[in-house]
Structure formats: structure tokens, C-alpha cells
Amino acid sequence: ASYIRQQQFDKAFVLADEWLKTPDTVAAGHNLKALASILTENFDEANRQVDSALSQEKDNVLAKYLKATIVQKDGDNVEALKILKELIAIKPDYQPALIATYNLSKTMNEDINPLIEQLKDSYQKQPENLQLLSVLISIFQKERMDSDIINILEPMFRTSQQQPAFVYSGLADAYMMQNNLPLALEMTERWFNVNPNNPSAALAYVNLLANNQKTVEALKVLDKLINDFPDEQNLKLFKFDLLGSVQNYSAAIAYYDKLPKTVQNEPQALAQLGRFYIANKQVSVGITKLEQAYRTAPLQNILISLAEAMKGSNPNSKIVELIEKHRNTVGDSVELSMYLANLLIEDDTDKAIKIYGETLEKAQDNPYVLNNYAWLLAEKGETAQALTHIKQALKIEPDHPDIIDTYGKVLSLNKEYDAAIDQFKKSLTIRPNHPEVLLNYADALAAKGLKTDAKELLKNFTPQSLAQQKQYEQIMSMR
């Protein structure tokens, strides 16, 4: 094993030849040669050695695992998965095979529930097997099965015994999925205390301190960690981000100057500096930093930050030109197409509708594309087509207040006022006093002839934009 770790493959082959001379170690000798051959990318030789090992011991665990690896490398995923399942039947707690089976099953879109049930059963029979438990928790995390993680790990945590780090990190992750920040903080603190020299544990702990509004304590712990791990640049970047996230922009900008030049020149760090300058009302400097970051790495998130910063000080056409150039030269995405379409709504509604239609072809089950496309179509008077798309969006996200509001708007434009009012009420139940929904609700009441009710609904309403002001005044001036 040491020869393999040190990549001394010649010595590994010599040792394997010695093992082949002894009957008890023949299979091990073939396996060692197979492993060394795989690592040196001689797969034909590896396959021969594995077959020789299996001829000696047909249920040899390592030989079967290596065989599955070779078969998968040859592109036969079905056969590789079959071998892995046979291997797990022989040795249910063999960690490499369990992980490989999960990964390959996901690649092939296979149902992973049988594997999960098998793992649960194996763990119930071997509750002391922590390697098996760590695989099970890892799969639960990937499948976002937070309740299952808590059901297994919480009883372990509640004992007085110190547990392995993955128990605390697993529970922290599960509580985060459930948005239970206090318990997540408790777990990360325990994880950090068990592994004080683990930067990942430290970062998780500081992050949860910050999320629990314990910023002063988070910065104090972070400063100690930076002192203990001076070469861990992620800790310094985290402090830079944290200072900005608590709106201490001047301190964040000053701290950036203390970062190593290699870190300062990273595009994402430079872009974040630009965002902090803009938040600190130094817009022109911020735009310059964002432009510099985008030139270094034309990434979508930097582009959108730059576009947002340019609003107000640049004509809309210049921002549209920038985004269209990115789409043509770097690449497009659903998010970027939606952003561009939204920019175009006021100046070129037809083009915005066209972009949403094209985007929908690439993302047919995206509820937000469906929602926005339906809204634009309805505004243009194409309510029948809008209804088709908004109903599809509701099937995917039935409780999203924006989608419910859009459905109400389309129904109202289609003169189905009673049904529209029901939707607006439902949206406001989920998100009370939302100004756009209140205005749409009042419009529907007025269109139904209930003008007094519409005015009563808006009696304490405060418009938050010029468009809302105009819509509010139209309703309140009705007679």
C-alpha cells in the first residue's frame, strides 16, 4: 500500500511477484498488479490481473471492485453496476463499493432507494460501524434527507460521549436544511471543538455565528483562526466578506488592502470589492473594480453585478449591449436571458417576450420563466396563452406568492374577477401587504364594480415607486 501511495509502481510489481509465489497471497498479488496497472493506465493488463485474482477467489472483494472500475472505464455502466451490487451482497459494509454504487446509480438515473434501504438495514445490524454510518449520512446529505440524518445522529449527540466529527457536521447540515440556525450553531461549535485544527470546521462555525447575528464573536474567532492558520487564505476572504455582509463597508475595503496580492487579484475578490465600494456610495470606483474583474474573468455573476451598478448612470441600451455581447461571445444561461428580458420590458416588450419564449424552449419546467412569460403575454392581451403557462408554473410551485399573483392578474385581465380575487387573497395570506398584489387586488375589485371596497383596501397604502403611485391614484380617483 505504501508503494502505491508513493507511486513507486516498479516496487509494487516486484512485491506482487513475490506474493504470487505463495499460495495464500496469489489473489493479493494479482490485485496489487491490477491496481498498479490501473494507476499507470494500463487497463488491459489490469483486466488480465483482476481475472486471474477472481479465478483464485471468485468472491474476492477488492478484485470485484477493481473489475467494476475497469468495466465502467470501458463504458459499460450496466455491467459495472451489476458487479458492484454483487459485491455489496457479499460485503454489505464495503465503503468504496457503496460510494461507487451510489454515484453510478445517480449517473444512470437509477432508483437509489433500494441502496438506501440496504444501507439502513446494514447499519441497524452493525450500529458500531462508523464507516458505514458515514457513507449513509453522506448519501442522506446529497439527497437532502434532513429528517433521516437527525433521526440517526441526534441520539448519538445526546449521549455524554464525544462523537466523530461527521456526527456534528452532519447534524449541522441537517439543521441548516431545516433553517434551525441555533441548533446548527450548537453543532458546528461542537465540531470545531472536536477538530480545532480543521479549517472547514472553523469556517462552518464562524459562518453560523454570523448567521445567528453574533458578528462580534464571529470576527473574534475568525481573527484567532487567521493567526493560527496564516496560510489559509479562505479565512481571510471570509473575514473580508463578513465585514461587508454586516454593512461595515469601509472596514471591508480597508481589510482588502491587507490581503495578499494573489488573493486581491482573484476576480471574485475584486468583484466583491467593487460591490462594497458601490454599497459605500463610491459608485464610480465600484464600477471600475467590477469592470476590471470582468475583464479578468467574464463570469456571469460579475456581469450581473456590473449591469446593476451601471443602472442610473448609463443608458439602458449600453447595459443591454454589454449583456448581449456576453451571450454571443461567452455564453448564455436561463438566469442571464431572464435578466436581459426584464431589462427590455419597458423599452422593447416584443423583444422581451421573444427572449422569454426562446428561454422557455430550453427550460420548459422553470416556474419563474413560465411566470414571467405569462405576465408579459397577459399584459399584451394574449390571455389564453398566458393562462396555459401560468397554470403550468402553478403545478410546479403551487404556493409561490408571485406565481399566485400572476395567475390572479391573468384571470383579472380575462375578466374572471371572482377567481382573480381568490388568488390575490391567497397570495396575500402567504405574503401579507405586498404592494403589487394589493394594487392588483384593488384593480380586480374596481373592475368588478366594487370601487368602494377597492379604495378601502388601499386606505393605508403607501406607493413605493412611480408606477405604483400612478396605479394607486387611478384607483383612488374612481367614482
Side-chain angles (χ1 to χ4, degrees):
S2 62
Y3 289 151
I4 295 295
R5 281 196 301 271
Q6 296 167 21
Q7 298 186 7
Q8 295 178 323
F9 300 118
D10 290 342
K11 292 182 179 180
F13 283 118
V14 171
L15 177 61
D17 284 332
E18 290 298 316
W19 287 355
L20 290 173
K21 295 174 183 177
T22 305
D24 290 344
T25 56
V26 170
H30 287 303
N31 281 337
L32 181 56
K33 284 195 170 189
L35 181 56
S37 297
I38 288 172
L39 294 173
T40 54
E41 298 189 354
N42 187 348
F43 292 99
D44 289 340
E45 177 62 20
N47 198 37
R48 283 192 291 272
Q49 294 297 335
V50 165
D51 287 343
S52 296
L54 290 170
S55 70
Q56 294 290 319
E57 299 177 15
K58 67 182 179 64
D59 290 336
N60 186 283
V61 170
L62 179 56
K64 276 189 167 294
Y65 178 73
L66 294 176
K67 184 70 175 181
T69 302
I70 295 165
V71 169
Q72 185 179 355
K73 175 68 174 57
D74 287 340
D76 192 347
N77 288 344
V78 174
E79 180 63 19
L81 188 59
K82 178 174 175 286
I83 295 169
L84 287 169
K85 288 179 178 179
E86 291 172 354
L87 172 51
I88 293 173
I90 296 167
K91 189 169 176 56
D93 62 347
Y94 188 54
Q95 193 173 13
L98 292 168
I99 295 169
T101 301
Y102 173 77
N103 290 335
L104 188 53
S105 296
K106 294 294 285 186
T107 299
M108 297 172 63
N109 293 318
E110 291 273 327
D111 181 10
I112 50 91
N113 286 315
L115 174 64
I116 290 175
E117 291 305 315
Q118 186 176 358
L119 271 168
K120 285 181 178 178
D121 183 62
S122 297
Y123 176 65
Q124 285 177 350
K125 294 174 181 175
Q126 304 177 64
E128 75 291 342
N129 191 328
L130 294 178
Q131 282 192 330
L132 187 61
L133 177 59
S134 71
V135 174
L136 183 58
I137 297 303
S138 175
I139 291 174
F140 282 163
Q141 287 175 316
K142 290 173 182 174
E143 296 297 315
R144 302 194 66 78
M145 299 170 65
D146 47 285
S147 296
D148 293 87
I149 295 172
I150 292 168
N151 288 340
I152 289 180
L153 295 185
E154 199 169 57
M156 297 176 65
F157 165 70
R158 294 303 171 194
T159 67
S160 58
Q161 297 177 341
Q162 182 171 294
Q163 300 297 338
F166 77 83
V167 172
Y168 305 120
S169 62
L171 275 170
D173 187 57
Y175 289 132
M176 281 291 287
M177 287 186 224
Q178 296 187 348
N179 203 33
N180 190 334
L181 298 184
L183 278 178
L185 174 59
E186 183 182 354
M187 292 305 111
T188 52
E189 185 175 11
R190 291 288 288 269
W191 181 23
F192 175 62
N193 289 336
V194 171
N195 292 86
N197 296 320
N198 183 331
S200 296
L203 272 174
Y205 178 42
V206 173
N207 188 40
L208 262 298
L209 282 170
N211 284 338
N212 279 271
Q213 283 78 52
K214 298 186 177 183
T215 309
V216 174
E217 189 177 344
L219 286 168
K220 183 179 178 181
V221 173
L222 196 50
D223 283 335
K224 182 180 183 305
L225 292 170
I226 290 169
N227 184 64
D228 292 344
F229 304 100
D231 296 328
E232 191 63 44
Q233 305 304 340
N234 283 336
L235 292 171
K236 297 172 185 175
L237 279 172
F238 192 91
K239 180 176 179 179
F240 171 59
D241 286 335
L242 181 57
L243 286 167
S245 70
V246 296
Q247 300 180 11
N248 194 346
Y249 303 117
S250 296
I253 291 166
Y255 187 72
Y256 175 87
D257 291 332
K258 298 177 184 178
L259 296 173
K261 287 295 182 186
T262 53
V263 177
Q264 286 184 3
N265 292 332
E266 289 182 9
Q268 295 289 11
L270 189 57
Q272 191 72 308
L273 178 65
R275 296 182 190 104
F276 292 160
Y277 268 117
I278 290 163
N280 205 40
K281 304 190 186 313
Q282 296 170 270
V283 178
S284 60
V285 180
I287 289 176
T288 299
K289 298 298 181 184
L290 283 165
E291 287 175 337
Q292 185 181 342
Y294 182 70
R295 283 195 299 271
T296 305
L299 302 173
Q300 179 179 293
N301 69 320
I302 299 176
L303 172 68
I304 291 177
S305 292
L306 177 58
E308 285 293 298
M310 290 170 65
K311 288 180 178 178
S313 59
N314 290 269
N316 215 39
S317 58
K318 187 174 180 180
I319 304 172
V320 169
E321 181 183 351
L322 176 67
I323 293 172
E324 287 185 329
K325 182 179 178 182
H326 180 98
R327 293 174 79 210
N328 293 330
T329 59
V330 179
D332 197 9
S333 71
V334 171
E335 180 188 6
L336 191 60
S337 292
M338 290 176 67
Y339 186 86
L340 176 60
N342 291 339
L343 273 178
L344 290 164
I345 285 173
E346 289 187 13
D347 298 334
D348 194 341
T349 305
D350 288 340
K351 188 171 182 180
I353 291 173
K354 181 174 181 289
I355 291 172
Y356 265 116
E358 292 169 349
T359 306
L360 187 59
E361 291 177 6
K362 297 179 286 187
Q364 296 178 6
D365 293 326
N366 186 308
Y368 311 109
V369 176
L370 287 160
N371 176 73
N372 295 4
Y373 190 35
W375 182 278
L376 287 172
L377 288 170
E379 289 278 292
K380 197 179 177 185
E382 299 178 23
T383 53
Q385 192 179 353
L387 278 170
T388 299
H389 294 306
I390 197 60
K391 286 178 180 178
Q392 178 63 22
L394 278 169
K395 287 180 182 177
I396 302 166
E397 288 275 5
D399 296 319
H400 196 293
D402 285 338
I403 295 173
I404 296 167
D405 175 46
T406 299
Y407 186 35
K409 178 73 172 179
V410 176
L411 289 168
S412 185
L413 289 170
N414 207 39
K415 302 188 187 316
E416 299 178 55
Y417 301 119
D418 288 336
I421 288 167
D422 287 343
Q423 296 304 314
F424 294 135
K425 286 179 179 178
K426 182 178 178 182
S427 181
L428 289 167
T429 300
I430 299 169
R431 187 175 54 188
N433 300 317
H434 189 275
E436 296 285 352
V437 183
L438 283 169
L439 287 167
N440 291 334
Y441 182 9
D443 266 340
L445 287 170
K448 191 184 175 186
L450 302 174
K451 296 175 185 177
T452 303
D453 291 348
K455 292 176 183 180
E456 181 66 21
L457 179 67
L458 298 179
K459 70 177 182 179
N460 296 318
F461 183 81
T462 303
Q464 298 177 6
S465 68
L466 290 175
Q468 289 181 14
Q469 179 72 35
K470 183 179 178 181
Q471 191 176 356
Y472 170 73
E473 288 174 355
Q474 286 175 344
I475 295 169
M476 298 306 287
S477 63
M478 288 179 178
R479 293 181 180 179

